[in-house]
Amino acid sequence: MTKALLEKDGVNWMTKALLEKDGVNWRQKLPPIPAVPLSAQTRWSVPSAGAPGANAPPAPAAAGGPDQAAAGMERARTLKEEGNELVKKGNHKKAVEKYSESLKLNQECATYTNRALCYLALKRYKEAAQDCTEALRLDPTNVKALYRRAQALKELKDYKSSIADIKSLLKTEPKNTAALRLLQELSRA
């Protein structure tokens, strides 16, 4: 087996174990991911020959040190929470703005899937699919990203890709009723 397949099997095994132990909300029970100090980010980045810093992680908004990096992460979290409150009130357009500001400070999977939800509500399906793709780049088995991208692709009439996303989702959560329902709709399309 290749290294990539072994790593994928490890991730699938761990995901299944967490699902069995904690149920479908296992991600919410994980501890927060610690912030990586700026000094470590710059030490680990390897610039390509063509563009200096091209492979470096996105720099925090305030690149003055660990305290400012932490402040940027905190600001991103606050903006995301403000976006969440706007979604609850049905103000998806304003929520998109908050999520977009948050993503400039911290590229987080949940923020991408939240903004994708808003784009779906606003019938901006191409943007919704793009956000889900970004979320899946960060977490390839994210159920919300797979489901929301499948919804967006369905609206864009890309039924084959939509079905592929639903089938990927069902490998992680075989009893996901919303996904099973969407798969039935896609089978009729």
Side-chain angles (χ1 to χ4, degrees), residues 5-183:
L5 282 175
L6 288 172
E7 288 174 358
K8 188 172 191 282
D9 284 346
V11 170
N12 288 338
W13 175 83
M14 182 56 71
T15 303
K16 286 177 186 172
L18 287 167
L19 270 170
E20 289 172 9
K21 181 178 177 260
D22 296 324
V24 294
N25 295 324
W26 65 269
R27 282 186 180 86
Q28 285 77 24
K29 295 178 183 178
L30 294 176
I33 298 171
V36 177
L38 186 61
S39 60
Q41 291 179 20
T42 55
R43 184 173 56 238
W44 292 333
S45 67
V46 181
S48 67
N55 294 335
D67 291 340
Q68 289 178 333
M73 297 287 278
E74 181 62 25
R75 177 72 181 136
R77 188 185 63 74
T78 300
L79 287 164
K80 182 178 113 178
E81 288 174 1
E82 289 173 9
N84 293 347
E85 289 303 314
L86 289 164
V87 167
K88 289 176 187 173
K89 294 175 183 173
N91 191 343
H92 295 99
K93 190 174 181 182
K94 193 77 173 160
V96 164
E97 294 172 15
K98 294 292 183 180
Y99 292 138
S100 297
E101 286 181 59
S102 177
L103 287 166
K104 288 177 188 173
L105 299 170
N106 181 30
Q107 292 188 353
E108 184 185 50
C109 186
T111 310
Y112 277 116
T113 59
N114 291 355
R115 190 170 71 173
L117 174 72
C118 294
Y119 283 142
L120 286 169
L122 296 168
K123 298 185 183 332
R124 293 171 57 183
Y125 304 117
K126 189 174 181 183
E127 290 98 331
Q130 289 170 343
D131 271 5
C132 292
T133 299
E134 282 302 309
L136 291 164
R137 183 181 56 79
L138 298 170
D139 177 6
T141 60
N142 186 284
V143 171
K144 284 183 181 179
L146 286 166
Y147 182 74
R148 291 178 183 163
R149 187 168 71 177
Q151 288 178 301
L153 292 169
K154 175 188 168 215
E155 296 300 327
L156 293 168
K157 308 227 184 304
D158 185 352
Y159 302 120
K160 187 176 179 182
S161 297
S162 182
I163 289 170
D165 278 349
I166 289 297
K167 286 184 177 179
S168 292
L169 183 161
L170 290 170
K171 286 178 186 172
T172 305
E173 288 187 13
K175 295 180 181 177
N176 185 310
T177 54
L180 290 168
R181 202 169 333 151
L182 183 57
L183 185 59

